[in-house]
Amino acid sequence: LSSSSIEINSSSDFSSIILPRKTAFQLCNLLAENLNKLVISLSENKIKFQIGKIILTSKVIDGKFPDYQKVIPKDNDKSLLVPLNDFISSVERVVSVSIDRKEGVKLDIHKGKLNLSVNSTNSGDGNEVIPAKYDYEEITIGFNSKYLLDIASVIESKNIQLKFKNSTSPVLIHDNSDKDSFYVIMPMKI
């Protein structure tokens, strides 16, 4: 799960909508190329985005979005802080021994260090230890390496912060340079 929020200037109520994926990507591309103000207009079943002279119109998806608030961990009190570049490089290196790049990566979290490992029955083992800020009891947890890298690739801070409850509960990931975004990743058995 990934969530990002921005504050908007609005003089009227704006109801919740679901955008098609293609529309969201097109809008992101337009916003990246244009510095003009974005104006959003909504009708019963369509939405219009106007950026300067560019207008993007789309149907909205009929239905109710799942209650994602239920999967956001509220009591993850164990915090791991790792330099982002070290984290990305280490995950990529330990996963490189695996033929299947989606194979799970195991994180052994200890006070002051993070041990990342992959044990692939077909191609061998990969292990690496990097320094980390962590002052709680040890946790061993596994993740799909692709999901970890997807999240880490969009973080802008120098550090990645992972918040744990235990080794089987969802993990909350923060980008400390963006207080309006967060990520939730489910662990996997390794």
Side-chain angles (χ1 to χ4, degrees):
L1 169 74
S2 173
S3 175
S4 189
S5 305
I6 59 169
E7 196 170 313
I8 61 171
N9 296 327
S10 177
S11 58
S12 63
D13 288 334
F14 196 85
S15 60
S16 178
I17 59 162
I18 304 173
L19 285 180
R21 183 180 177 146
K22 186 176 179 182
T23 302
F25 283 125
Q26 287 175 332
L27 181 61
C28 288
N29 288 335
L30 290 173
L31 291 171
E33 299 169 0
N34 205 312
L35 298 176
N36 291 319
K37 184 168 78 170
L38 171 65
V39 178
I40 304 171
S41 306
L42 183 63
S43 68
E44 190 172 314
N45 58 1
K46 289 191 178 183
I47 189 164
K48 179 172 87 172
F49 302 97
Q50 186 168 353
I51 310 164
K53 294 182 179 184
I54 300 170
I55 296 175
L56 173 64
T57 305
S58 173
K59 290 183 179 179
V60 294
I61 296 174
D62 189 27
K64 187 173 167 100
F65 200 75
D67 185 6
Y68 64 91
Q69 295 288 343
K70 289 182 179 178
V71 299
I72 301 170
K74 305 285 188 248
D75 53 355
N76 288 18
D77 56 350
K78 298 168 188 70
S79 177
L80 170 70
L81 194 66
V82 184
L84 180 64
N85 290 336
D86 293 350
F87 183 77
I88 292 172
S89 298
S90 294
V91 171
E92 287 174 341
R93 278 192 294 270
V94 297
V95 171
S96 69
V97 300
S98 171
I99 294 169
D100 180 9
R101 289 296 180 118
K102 292 182 213 138
E103 192 155 0
V105 60
K106 183 168 80 169
L107 278 61
D108 288 311
I109 308 162
H110 305 273
K111 290 188 188 219
K113 67 179 180 176
L114 170 62
N115 182 21
L116 297 101
S117 61
V118 169
N119 183 349
S120 177
T121 54
N122 298 325
S123 53
D125 298 334
N127 290 293
E128 190 156 331
V129 178
I130 55 175
K133 290 184 182 176
Y134 183 78
D135 292 320
Y136 307 91
E137 69 265 9
E138 295 177 6
I139 289 181
T140 299
I141 192 167
F143 297 105
N144 179 315
S145 59
K146 182 183 180 327
Y147 296 159
L148 278 179
L149 291 171
D150 285 348
I151 293 170
S153 70
V154 295
I155 289 183
E156 297 175 2
S157 176
K158 291 180 182 179
N159 297 306
I160 184 169
Q161 182 181 30
L162 293 86
K163 291 190 171 185
F164 304 90
K165 177 180 181 182
N166 54 43
S167 62
T168 58
S169 297
V171 175
L172 190 60
I173 300 177
H174 288 284
D175 180 349
N176 291 332
S177 67
D178 182 0
K179 300 294 182 198
D180 296 317
S181 298
F182 64 86
Y183 312 89
V184 177
I185 185 169
M186 291 297 296
M188 64 183 281
K189 286 188 177 185
I190 296 182

